Amino acid sequence: MNDDEKRQAADGEREFEDELRELLAEDAYTIRPSAAPYPQIRRRGALERRRRVAVAGAALATLAAVPAAVYGLGAGSAQGSTAAAPTPSRTATPSASPTPSAEPDRATAALFDGITYRQARDGLENCLDSEFTRDRPGRPGLAPPDAYAIVLAMRSTGDSNTGGDGVFVVAEADDEERSSLICRLEDGVTQGITGFPDESDEIADAGAVLVNPNSNRLFKQTVLDHGRWKLPFRWAVVGTAKPSVARVTVSYGDSGVEATVRDGRFVASGVLNEQVTRAPHIKGYDAGGKLVYDSDDDKYWESTLP
């Protein structure tokens, strides 16, 4: 290549570089970062104060699914969708029943999918004496075992982040912090437990109804399976309700239920038979039937699923 050809090549490279810089400069004005999601950041910051997760265990994808006999899950386990007082299970294995005075929460526990009260109580005891709680000084975030009352027990649908179907047990205590816990078991063995206090009073502008942020474990399958959830899917929502709230309803996909409201807390459960993109829609009413809460208007509630 002679000198003229070299100069022409160099000029061509400079021209190309100039054009490239110009294009990049134009793009710099057309590409703008998204606005910071301040409402979501504020919400998560407020809710994070309530989380204080004391104990957490990851569900392992290699564990076996729960046999139907373990918790009495029969062919009709997907039936039923209200949080009303439970009826005795026909498929459950008979067991000794302590007197109601010894277990005052028996009549108020919401039991689904053939799970008996005794099985739920055994599951709770396993949670509180598992590898996730053992040898933890003071077990921060957890109340003494005898302080907990069973609130909910239901089947847990396995997904790509769990080993298979299992059982959720939700319990609450009337200790100073009104502690609660959500425990997931497979084959009767604890796979994960989350303990947390009720800190609804710390959110000054909270609505009349406040869903516990940890309960998203009860109404969502993993985000990895978004749009491909295993159906039918048993779901639940738990949270707190102010004294002005006499009734709470929850609709989720093709299911709608009336929640049980008691002592400032509520619990609802149903069965989903369709894929969903929106979170449960929650409404609260006073004793006169007036709407006092709608999750669609709650800035702390994410109405769409990630």
Side-chain angles (χ1 to χ4, degrees):
M1 178 182 295
N2 57 38
D3 292 340
D4 289 339
E5 291 175 336
K6 290 180 180 180
R7 281 194 297 271
Q8 290 176 0
D11 291 341
E13 290 178 1
R14 281 194 296 270
E15 184 178 351
F16 173 76
E17 291 176 357
D18 291 340
E19 292 177 354
L20 180 59
R21 289 193 187 95
E22 184 178 353
L23 289 172
L24 291 175
E26 291 176 356
D27 287 344
Y29 289 99
T30 58
I31 300 174
R32 294 180 175 86
S34 301
Y38 292 112
Q40 292 89 336
I41 293 173
R42 184 171 181 270
R43 174 186 179 275
R44 291 182 181 178
L47 294 182
E48 191 62 30
R49 294 197 299 271
R50 303 179 59 225
R51 290 181 183 274
R52 292 186 189 174
V53 177
V55 191
L60 305 179
T62 57
L63 297 176
V66 175
V70 174
Y71 283 98
L73 306 184
S77 62
Q79 301 303 314
S81 61
T82 65
T87 56
S89 168
R90 296 180 180 179
T91 59
T93 303
S95 59
S97 299
T99 61
S101 59
E103 295 173 333
D105 60 327
R106 172 189 291 274
T108 60
L111 309 177
F112 298 96
D113 308 314
I115 302 172
T116 67
Y117 176 85
R118 184 69 262 167
Q119 291 163 341
R121 176 57 66 174
D122 289 345
L124 175 61
E125 292 175 358
N126 185 284
C127 290
L128 294 172
D129 188 29
S130 67
E131 62 178 308
F132 303 111
T133 56
R134 207 175 296 128
D135 300 326
R136 293 177 180 269
R139 295 195 300 188
L142 297 178
D146 58 359
Y148 282 103
I150 301 293
V151 173
L152 170 72
M154 67 180 198
R155 61 184 169 85
S156 167
T157 303
D159 53 40
S160 62
N161 195 44
T162 60
D165 292 344
V167 168
F168 273 125
V169 175
V170 181
E172 296 173 343
D174 285 324
D175 60 339
E176 184 176 351
E177 291 190 321
R178 288 171 65 87
S179 304
S180 300
L181 65 82
I182 297 175
C183 180
R184 185 178 184 278
L185 304 101
E186 289 184 18
D187 272 335
V189 179
T190 301
Q191 304 302 316
I193 176 173
T194 303
F196 45 91
D198 173 18
E199 295 184 346
S200 55
D201 292 340
E202 293 188 15
I203 304 179
D205 56 349
V209 174
L210 191 62
V211 178
N212 191 292
N214 295 278
S215 72
N216 61 10
R217 299 180 58 193
L218 304 175
F219 64 79
K220 290 199 308 184
Q221 294 183 36
T222 177
V223 295
L224 300 175
D225 297 326
H226 187 63
R228 296 177 289 105
W229 286 7
K230 292 183 180 179
L231 301 173
F233 171 53
R234 165 69 70 180
W235 60 267
V237 177
V238 298
T240 58
K242 292 183 178 179
S244 59
V245 178
R247 177 172 171 253
V248 174
T249 63
V250 183
S251 58
Y252 193 24
D254 59 351
S255 59
V257 299
E258 182 96 7
T260 295
V261 182
R262 184 181 294 108
D263 298 328
R265 288 167 167 158
F266 76 91
V267 56
S269 180
V271 176
L272 194 64
N273 289 288
E274 67 176 20
Q275 303 292 336
V276 292
T277 57
R278 293 184 59 82
H281 185 194
I282 303 157
K283 293 184 177 181
Y285 302 85
D286 64 15
K290 178 183 177 182
L291 180 69
V292 294
Y293 173 83
D294 189 327
S295 61
D296 281 350
D297 302 324
D298 188 347
K299 61 185 176 183
Y300 292 120
W301 179 249
E302 293 183 355
S303 59
T304 58
L305 297 173

